[in-house]
Amino acid sequence: MKTVLIVEDEKLIRQGIRTMIQRSGVPVEMIMECGNGEMALEILQSQKVDVMFTDIRMPRMTGIELVQKVQELPEKPIIVAVSGYADFSYAVEMLRMGVREYLLKPVEREKLWSIMKQLEQEISVSQENSRTSKRLGHQQLKYLMLNEKITEEELNTMQSEYESEFDLHGYYVYALNPKEFHDAREQYIYLHNVEGYDVFLVSEKNAPLLLKNELAQEHVGISLPHSGIRELRAAYREATEARQSAFCTNRMHVCSGERGKRIPEQFYGQGQKLTGEEVKLQRVQLLGTDKTEELVKAWNGLFYAVTNEWITPFDFAKCIDDFFKDIRKTYRNMMEDEEDNVKRLADYYSFSALMPWQTEFMDWLLAFHERINSRYDVNKNQQKIKQAIDYIQKNYDKDLNMAVVSNHISMNYSLFSYLFKEYTGNNFVNYLKGIRMEEAKRLLAETDLRIIEISAKVGYDNEKHFMKIFKTSCGVSPSEYRKNVQLNS
């Protein structure tokens, strides 16, 4: 359980109950104490308490008065009354008022422990039932958001079962890219990955708090205010459309129905042209040509237009979807190695906004462009890879990595990685390691150099790291390898 409150005007008794709780074997995150009913009521009004132990006779507000006040609270703790023998009749009255258990003073340790374990089990079962009920409710809310054809009977059932539970009397729907908010507060209804969106349902009262805290740095689409389960699907559609606008314009919070820029007619016409079939085809045909600057310009023009709202999110999405469809068809023999990248980039709304997606897309596009180019210049690329191999063989004893080698031969890093593996049948790291291990074996067999010296000669400045790699590669340590070679010679 999370929180236990001890209400008792005698300090020694309070402390004694606290110690018994701590030694009961039941984990409790927080134990609070107070000396009268008024203080206890203030605590209960400001935070959730799982279990409250309360004395009956206290100054300012008795235990009986406190229990009566607790019945008016929206979240009630489980109450255990603590009384002297003379007050037993009052304890019986409190049991009638909803008190779960009572303890006679002096409090017996075993009795308190038994009550704690019983209540812990009850709270655990209640919490699990609540979680199950909430999960089912969330599934029903998703179902309502995503289905157009819902019967009147289904609507009535959902309305009676979930509308009061989820407090849907005056709410907004927020939509953003899927992130998985593990610590979403109880004040919000949080639904992860609804058709590729994370969705929050939030009351009008808590809406500003959510935008100020959890969603302060997110690009969010916000619905108009709505009320009731019957309006949920419309609210969801408004939020997702606003989210698409937030993505395309790189704005943080976009409200449904928010008036956009006034676009002059000539700019709107330019946007129409950029989404026309002729220009869409041109963006595909420029790939693999020597017109790299034109390719970049064509795409930057599209991004500028959509950011400035010359193009609607719908038309932009269609342009991107059609582009990936066309390159899969045009370059199907090259798509196997690109599928993971294409799949990620085709899911553009999973990115927070256009700007980070644009950066990753253009990096991939130019690498793919170079790769297409390379297919028409195999000889040249093979010569460059041969130069790289020659450079590796002459410099394997230095601090070498793929960036250094690709820069040496003036080749794009991603293209070099692809061509190097295609030419050698091995990736760069394993190829370099193979050369180093072969030279290390030669030096172990033919020289009396110490292990630390051999490690340095084959490019490892850390002897232990070298020994670990050698054993992984060769199955034995360098010393064992040398010994085996000497025995067999």
Side-chain angles (χ1 to χ4, degrees):
M1 61 184 71
K2 287 190 174 181
T3 310
V4 172
L5 174 61
I6 305 167
V7 191
E8 166 63 61
D9 60 325
E10 293 188 38
K11 184 177 180 180
L12 287 177
I13 296 177
R14 281 203 314 269
Q15 292 176 341
I17 293 173
R18 170 188 276 272
T19 301
M20 290 181 200
I21 291 170
Q22 290 171 332
R23 295 176 180 174
S24 67
V26 174
V28 180
E29 291 183 16
M30 181 189 298
I31 301 175
M32 296 181 292
E33 301 177 26
C34 60
N36 61 68
E38 284 186 358
M39 291 173 62
L41 190 59
E42 287 180 13
I43 292 171
L44 292 167
Q45 288 170 336
S46 63
Q47 71 179 90
K48 188 178 185 312
V49 172
D50 294 315
V51 176
M52 179 175 74
F53 289 83
T54 181
D55 189 16
I56 293 178
R57 292 183 181 274
M58 293 183 293
R60 297 170 67 176
M61 182 185 287
T62 68
I64 294 175
E65 292 171 324
L66 174 60
V67 171
Q68 288 173 332
K69 295 284 187 183
V70 165
Q71 305 313 308
E72 301 170 9
L73 298 175
E75 290 188 308
K76 305 174 185 62
I78 299 174
I79 303 173
V80 180
V82 182
S83 72
Y85 185 77
D87 296 323
F88 179 69
S89 60
Y90 293 118
V92 172
E93 177 62 24
M94 290 172 77
L95 286 170
R96 291 196 190 101
M97 293 164 58
V99 170
R100 187 66 54 81
E101 299 284 349
Y102 73 90
L103 289 167
L104 284 173
K105 297 180 181 177
V107 176
E108 295 180 15
R109 181 179 58 188
E110 288 76 11
K111 178 67 174 172
L112 184 142
W113 287 0
S114 174
I115 289 173
M116 283 294 293
K117 287 169 184 174
Q118 175 189 329
L119 296 183
E120 166 67 7
Q121 184 177 8
E122 183 179 326
I123 289 169
S124 296
V125 170
S126 174
Q127 288 174 340
E128 182 55 38
N129 289 340
S130 176
R131 283 192 290 269
T132 301
S133 175
K134 187 175 285 188
R135 280 196 298 270
L136 291 171
H138 286 178
Q139 288 171 6
Q140 290 298 310
L141 293 178
K142 285 184 181 182
Y143 175 75
L144 182 55
M145 287 177 183
L146 302 180
N147 288 277
E148 293 182 12
K149 297 178 181 178
I150 294 181
T151 65
E152 188 65 22
E153 185 181 354
E154 286 178 306
L155 275 171
N156 289 334
T157 301
M158 284 188 235
Q159 201 164 358
S160 63
E161 287 187 9
Y162 300 116
E163 196 158 85
S164 58
E165 179 182 347
F166 289 126
D167 188 20
L168 296 178
H169 302 288
Y171 63 89
Y172 292 91
V173 173
Y174 293 170
L176 63 153
N177 60 305
K179 299 177 73 68
E180 202 152 358
F181 291 80
H182 294 289
D183 55 350
R185 304 185 192 190
E186 290 185 2
Q187 297 101 308
Y188 321 130
I189 300 172
Y190 168 60
L191 307 174
H192 175 57
N193 202 6
V194 182
E195 279 188 325
Y197 298 98
D198 270 12
V199 173
F200 284 86
L201 278 69
V202 55
S203 67
E204 291 178 305
K205 179 181 73 173
N206 290 323
L209 187 68
L210 179 57
L211 288 179
K212 183 180 178 181
N213 295 324
E214 285 93 332
L215 304 186
Q217 301 302 315
E218 306 297 337
H219 296 265
V220 183
I222 304 169
S223 75
L224 296 170
H226 286 268
S227 181
I229 266 182
R230 290 172 179 271
E231 296 184 19
L232 184 56
R233 177 165 171 76
Y236 169 72
R237 283 201 307 269
E238 291 168 3
T240 53
E241 287 171 6
R243 157 62 193 158
Q244 291 165 13
S245 180
F247 171 89
C248 288
T249 59
N250 295 301
R251 284 184 285 166
M252 299 305 291
H253 302 150
V254 174
C255 298
S256 177
E258 188 177 290
R259 187 172 179 179
K261 293 181 179 180
R262 289 183 62 86
I263 308 299
E265 190 63 33
Q266 68 268 29
F267 293 154
Y268 178 75
Q270 182 65 20
Q272 293 259 294
K273 183 179 177 183
L274 289 169
T275 58
E277 293 303 318
E278 184 180 339
V279 179
K280 282 162 67 174
L281 181 61
Q282 183 185 32
R283 285 192 287 266
V284 176
Q285 290 176 336
L286 283 169
L287 281 169
T289 69
D290 58 357
K291 299 177 180 178
T292 304
E293 286 187 16
E294 285 186 38
L295 176 68
V296 172
K297 186 178 177 181
W299 279 102
N300 284 345
L302 180 70
F303 297 140
Y304 183 85
V306 72
T307 303
N308 286 279
E309 300 180 79
W310 303 357
I311 296 171
T312 67
F314 175 83
D315 287 337
F316 172 74
K318 191 169 188 321
C319 276
I320 302 304
D321 293 345
D322 287 348
F323 172 75
F324 283 121
K325 180 180 176 182
D326 289 341
I327 65 165
R328 278 188 170 111
K329 182 179 177 181
T330 306
Y331 300 103
R332 55 184 175 274
N333 58 332
M334 298 177 68
M335 277 294 106
E336 185 177 344
D337 292 335
E338 299 294 340
E339 195 53 45
D340 287 345
N341 286 324
V342 168
K343 187 176 180 182
R344 172 169 162 72
L345 291 165
D347 188 17
Y348 33 86
Y349 285 135
S350 67
F351 288 73
S352 60
L354 177 64
M355 193 173 292
W357 180 85
Q358 177 182 338
T359 300
E360 193 165 324
F361 172 78
M362 290 304 294
D363 286 345
W364 168 81
L365 183 75
L366 291 174
F368 186 57
H369 172 67
E370 286 192 36
R371 187 181 158 202
I372 297 168
N373 262 328
S374 73
R375 304 213 22 139
Y376 302 102
D377 200 4
V378 175
N379 232 12
K380 180 181 174 184
N381 285 326
Q382 283 188 347
Q383 288 304 314
K384 284 201 168 193
I385 297 300
K386 286 177 181 177
Q387 288 175 29
I389 290 170
D390 182 60
Y391 183 78
I392 294 167
Q393 289 173 342
K394 290 177 180 176
N395 295 278
Y396 63 84
D397 57 334
K398 298 180 176 63
D399 183 15
L400 212 57
N401 57 48
M402 194 161 70
V404 170
V405 178
S406 61
N407 284 338
H408 176 74
I409 63 168
S410 303
M411 184 178 283
N412 172 275
Y413 183 92
S414 299
L415 180 62
F416 173 77
S417 174
Y418 170 78
L419 292 175
F420 187 88
K421 186 173 182 181
E422 190 177 64
Y423 185 82
T424 64
N426 213 339
N427 65 37
F428 178 86
V429 172
N430 288 335
Y431 184 86
L432 176 60
K433 182 170 64 176
I435 289 176
R436 286 173 167 174
M437 291 302 103
E438 286 303 313
E439 178 62 9
K441 287 193 284 186
R442 187 189 72 78
L443 292 172
L444 286 166
E446 297 177 9
T447 74
D448 294 326
L449 292 172
R450 292 180 301 156
I451 304 298
I452 191 171
E453 293 172 320
I454 292 174
S455 171
K457 278 186 172 292
V458 297
Y460 296 98
D461 56 5
N462 185 308
E463 180 189 3
K464 289 184 179 177
H465 182 54
F466 163 70
M467 292 170 70
K468 182 179 178 181
I469 290 177
F470 189 94
K471 187 167 185 178
T472 302
S473 299
C474 305
V476 293
S477 69
S479 299
E480 290 169 334
Y481 180 85
R482 173 173 270 168
K483 183 178 177 182
N484 291 340
V485 170
Q486 289 172 350
L487 287 173
N488 292 324
S489 62

